[in-house]
Amino acid sequence: MRRSSRVFVLRTLLWAGLLAQSVSVHAQDNLIWIELDPEDTVYLQLQEGMVVIELNPDFAPKTVEQFKKLLEEQFYRGLSFYRVIDGFVAQGGDESDLGDEHPVPMLEAEFEIDWPRKPKDKDEAKDWAPMSWTPVQKNDLFAAQTGFIDGFPAARDKAGNKAWLTHCPGAVAMARNDDPDTGSTDFYIVIGQAPRYLDRNLTVFGRVVWGMDVVQRIKRGPANQNGIIEADLDRSWIKRMRLASSVDAGELLEIYVADTNSKGFTDLLKSRRNRTQDFFDRKPPKVLDVCQVPVPARLEKSSTSRRLNQ
Amino acid sequence: MRRSSRVFVLRTLLWAGLLAQSVSVHAQDNLIWIELDPEDTVYLQLQEGMVVIELNPDFAPKTVEQFKKLLEEQFYRGLSFYRVIDGFVAQGGDESDLGDEHPVPMLEAEFEIDWPRKPKDKDEAKDWAPMSWTPVQKNDLFAAQTGFIDGFPAARDKAGNKAWLTHCPGAVAMARNDDPDTGSTDFYIVIGQAPRYLDRNLTVFGRVVWGMDVVQRIKRGPANQNGIIEADLDRSWIKRMRLASSVDAGELLEIYVADTNSKGFTDLLKSRRNRTQDFFDRKPPKVLDVCQVPVPARLEKSSTSRRLNQ
């Protein structure tokens, strides 16, 4: 192999046109980085590694509140991903959504919110900052408008009065039965091509911001059994699932996510919508799939990177 | 856990509305299954397991021809996936596409074909069967028409004169440099949300029909290094990559894929486009993302299932 002599080539080609997916250096420079709030950050420790999830109480306040309580009780410790369909979702918990027994109260659906969101009471009105909308695309197959709302891929209806979080890869949502108000504890993570037909039909309440590669290693179930893995030992287990604010200071991971309102991010969107690189023999249509724009994230504390991979 | 008492519930819910992704029993019944042709089937053996790829000589005759020669020479044995970006692509080979040296002749671009495809000579005309087109969707973001052509997700232009294979998850394509005619040996597999902006800009010449879960376990590179994994030992290695027709009869895997021209498959498309189940509180728009319709595949010989997982 000619690896050593290639290092320079690799480096110079790093931002070149070659299947260019990434942020351009320029756009990256203009990004504003926001540290995750430990009160809305979940550490999901699997046998396969560490996954970090950002919760979204703006879109799913009741679901997030109950989820946090469950984390406090270490509810998910020792539970598993019992229904995993490659290219679709990994579903975990105690399987309560498959039956009629629910260990905790069932949740009202939080499928969408009124837009723009307004403070719900005087208390909230005090330091009220309106939510942002960073537009991505009009009229994709599933929504009149797509965009980002404070880091989350989202969509709005034609009138712009309703907004919802979209089922992009990494979306974390509550499983439920036929009745919309039957979510309780079991959740799923989208691991495949965005199943956008589920939008507004399930409560998306978070997103994976770090460790999606770990999520992709969760053991799959048989497709012809709807992904159900009957034998416990064949499943990927949840070692621990905790709120970041509950861990010791030394265990905290300094994870920053790009501010989707920053100029750096809108530059990034622009460069992906309008691909002018020589590489593109035929210029692609000037469109963007909101689920094909990963929001940059970085881990600051290098000493913890080993722990991340366990 | 209440697992044992739940088995019945699991079974009865198997095809129920719960996040229903799968083929309905009815549609499944009408599927016609086609056995893969060993002359166009590749066994890619990774440390992580076995991946089966179907080649498409109709769309990329020259690329497939050269690729088969490379397989015959065991070219890929001991090479690795050196550039892997989670949510995007896993790229493998000897890194020749990153430099100016190419170990084998460079390939002419085979980005699209004339439609309908016609026999290229008298010999081919003898048992000519026209290619099928099973329509999926008009006017998604990236193409005037999407559909399936003999098992492969594909698209056509507005006039319907050109057809190409789409960059859906599992698509296998040739990497290249800026010049369109510089593909040679290095290839990539799409592992994330379909990067459709690459359509008609790279030669898609196959698709993963089995083992996409294995592909998802390929080790990722650092996002801020454009996915390049510099240290050999950190990469996923190719143990062997062979044409199915070159293996011993006892090693052959009986893999069948659904005929995308069969009524069963068009029924499946219909049931996914028009989701009438009670589960859907709000009926989704009657649209289909061609990359969100996995083509059913099954492995017949159960004795080989252990070998598949190695």
Side-chain angles (χ1 to χ4, degrees):
Chain A
M1 307 275 85
R2 289 145 294 173
R3 199 151 298 123
S4 55
S5 63
R6 279 281 167 71
V7 171
F8 180 68
V9 181
L10 295 183
R11 287 261 161 72
T12 53
L13 275 167
L14 222 58
W15 301 110
L18 184 79
L19 278 178
Q21 155 90 346
S22 308
V23 185
S24 78
V25 174
H26 174 71
Q28 186 99 27
D29 283 347
N30 283 331
L31 283 177
I32 292 173
W33 297 92
I34 303 174
E35 191 168 3
L36 291 178
D37 178 354
E39 281 301 332
D40 287 320
T41 303
V42 178
Y43 294 167
L44 165 59
Q45 280 172 274
L46 305 177
Q47 292 161 294
E48 289 78 4
M50 175 73 106
V51 179
V52 180
I53 293 165
E54 182 182 6
L55 301 174
N56 195 318
D58 290 327
F59 274 79
K62 288 168 192 164
T63 305
V64 167
E65 193 186 349
Q66 176 163 310
F67 195 72
K68 283 184 183 182
K69 268 189 205 146
L70 293 169
L71 295 178
E72 208 176 325
E73 295 165 10
Q74 302 242 35
F75 178 86
Y76 295 99
R77 188 171 186 150
L79 298 183
S80 60
F81 286 89
Y82 60 86
R83 177 174 182 254
V84 188
I85 300 178
D86 185 71
F88 184 45
V89 299
Q91 185 167 331
D94 73 345
E95 305 165 51
S96 53
D97 64 311
L98 295 176
D100 296 324
E101 299 166 52
H102 287 269
V104 297
M106 289 193 286
L107 291 156
E108 270 174 53
E110 296 180 306
F111 297 163
E112 59 186 18
I113 62 169
D114 292 330
W115 188 266
R117 188 169 164 265
K118 296 200 173 85
K120 63 176 186 291
D121 52 33
K122 276 187 186 170
D123 213 39
E124 204 174 56
K126 263 190 255 167
D127 353 66
W128 184 254
M131 288 171 87
S132 68
W133 173 262
T134 303
V136 168
Q137 182 65 46
K138 285 197 175 164
N139 299 317
D140 72 7
L141 287 181
F142 292 90
Q145 308 171 58
T146 62
F148 284 91
I149 299 176
D150 295 335
F152 282 73
R156 297 194 325 209
D157 60 4
K158 201 172 172 187
N161 299 328
K162 297 284 181 190
W164 58 92
L165 301 180
T166 48
H167 276 80
C168 293
V172 181
M174 269 295 157
R176 64 166 172 90
N177 291 331
D178 275 1
D179 181 337
D181 302 323
T182 52
S184 70
T185 62
D186 290 7
F187 65 96
Y188 60 92
I189 306 175
V190 174
I191 57 173
Q193 182 74 9
R196 294 275 307 278
Y197 64 91
L198 298 174
D199 288 356
R200 307 174 93 177
N201 270 299
L202 290 125
T203 302
V204 179
F205 66 96
R207 70 181 182 99
V208 173
V209 289
W210 195 267
M212 203 51 207
D213 54 331
V214 172
V215 172
Q216 289 294 5
R217 298 178 78 87
I218 291 174
K219 284 176 204 144
R220 271 52 170 171
N224 61 358
Q225 297 289 313
N226 209 9
I228 300 274
I229 308 172
E230 299 220 4
D232 302 25
L233 289 176
D234 292 343
R235 300 178 184 168
S236 289
W237 287 84
I238 298 173
K239 288 159 79 173
R240 291 219 269 189
M241 196 168 182
R242 293 178 296 172
L243 205 60
S245 62
S246 76
V247 307
D248 292 339
E251 281 186 88
L252 265 181
L253 302 172
E254 276 181 40
I255 291 179
Y256 294 82
V257 294
D259 180 352
T260 52
N261 309 320
S262 63
K263 181 163 185 316
F265 191 77
T266 50
D267 284 353
L268 187 160
L269 293 176
K270 210 180 292 172
S271 71
R272 291 174 70 96
R273 185 179 290 109
N274 190 6
R275 294 182 187 266
T276 55
Q277 298 97 324
D278 289 342
F279 180 81
F280 292 97
D281 188 45
R282 173 191 297 274
K283 299 304 166 208
K286 292 184 183 176
V287 293
L288 264 185
D289 170 2
V290 71
C291 292
Q292 220 266 317
V293 184
V295 176
R298 62 186 173 91
L299 175 70
E300 191 62 12
K301 219 195 255 179
S302 63
S303 64
T304 54
S305 61
R306 199 166 301 141
R307 191 179 309 130
L308 262 181
N309 299 311
Q310 300 196 32
Chain B
M1 306 272 84
R2 289 144 297 173
R3 198 151 299 123
S4 54
S5 63
R6 279 281 168 73
V7 172
F8 179 69
V9 180
L10 294 184
R11 287 262 160 72
T12 54
L13 275 166
L14 221 58
W15 300 110
L18 183 79
L19 278 179
Q21 155 89 349
S22 308
V23 185
S24 78
V25 175
H26 174 70
Q28 186 100 26
D29 283 347
N30 283 329
L31 282 178
I32 292 174
W33 296 93
I34 304 174
E35 191 168 1
L36 291 179
D37 179 354
E39 282 299 333
D40 286 320
T41 303
V42 177
Y43 294 167
L44 165 61
Q45 280 173 275
L46 304 177
Q47 292 161 295
E48 288 79 4
M50 175 73 107
V51 179
V52 180
I53 293 165
E54 181 183 8
L55 300 175
N56 194 318
D58 290 328
F59 274 79
K62 289 171 192 162
T63 305
V64 167
E65 193 187 348
Q66 175 163 311
F67 195 71
K68 282 184 182 182
K69 268 190 205 147
L70 293 169
L71 295 178
E72 209 176 323
E73 296 165 11
Q74 301 242 35
F75 178 86
Y76 294 100
R77 188 172 186 150
L79 298 183
S80 60
F81 285 89
Y82 60 87
R83 177 174 182 253
V84 189
I85 300 178
D86 185 70
F88 183 45
V89 300
Q91 185 167 330
D94 73 344
E95 304 165 51
S96 53
D97 64 311
L98 295 177
D100 296 324
E101 300 166 51
H102 287 268
V104 297
M106 290 192 286
L107 291 155
E108 268 173 56
E110 296 179 305
F111 297 162
E112 59 186 18
I113 62 168
D114 292 330
W115 188 268
R117 187 171 164 266
K118 296 199 174 86
K120 64 174 186 293
D121 51 34
K122 277 187 185 170
D123 211 41
E124 205 175 53
K126 264 189 253 167
D127 352 67
W128 183 254
M131 290 171 86
S132 69
W133 173 261
T134 303
V136 169
Q137 182 64 47
K138 284 196 176 164
N139 299 316
D140 72 6
L141 286 182
F142 292 90
Q145 308 171 59
T146 61
F148 283 91
I149 300 176
D150 295 334
F152 282 74
R156 296 196 324 209
D157 60 4
K158 202 171 172 187
N161 300 327
K162 298 284 179 188
W164 58 93
L165 301 179
T166 49
H167 276 80
C168 293
V172 181
M174 269 296 158
R176 64 165 174 90
N177 291 332
D178 275 1
D179 181 337
D181 302 323
T182 53
S184 69
T185 60
D186 290 6
F187 64 97
Y188 60 91
I189 305 175
V190 173
I191 58 173
Q193 182 74 9
R196 294 275 306 278
Y197 65 91
L198 298 175
D199 288 356
R200 307 175 95 177
N201 270 297
L202 290 126
T203 303
V204 178
F205 66 97
R207 69 182 184 98
V208 174
V209 290
W210 194 267
M212 203 51 207
D213 55 331
V214 172
V215 173
Q216 289 294 4
R217 297 177 79 87
I218 291 175
K219 284 176 205 143
R220 272 49 172 174
N224 61 0
Q225 299 288 313
N226 209 11
I228 301 275
I229 308 172
E230 299 220 4
D232 302 26
L233 288 175
D234 292 343
R235 301 179 184 167
S236 289
W237 288 84
I238 298 172
K239 289 159 77 173
R240 291 220 267 189
M241 195 166 182
R242 292 178 298 172
L243 206 60
S245 61
S246 76
V247 308
D248 293 339
E251 283 186 88
L252 265 182
L253 302 171
E254 275 180 39
I255 292 179
Y256 294 82
V257 294
D259 180 353
T260 52
N261 309 320
S262 63
K263 181 163 184 319
F265 190 76
T266 51
D267 284 353
L268 186 161
L269 293 177
K270 210 181 290 172
S271 71
R272 292 174 69 95
R273 185 179 290 110
N274 190 7
R275 296 182 185 267
T276 55
Q277 298 98 323
D278 289 341
F279 180 80
F280 291 96
D281 188 45
R282 173 192 297 272
K283 299 304 167 208
K286 293 183 182 175
V287 292
L288 264 186
D289 170 2
V290 71
C291 292
Q292 221 265 318
V293 185
V295 176
R298 62 187 173 88
L299 175 70
E300 191 63 13
K301 218 195 255 176
S302 63
S303 64
T304 54
S305 61
R306 201 166 302 141
R307 192 181 306 130
L308 263 182
N309 298 312
Q310 302 196 31

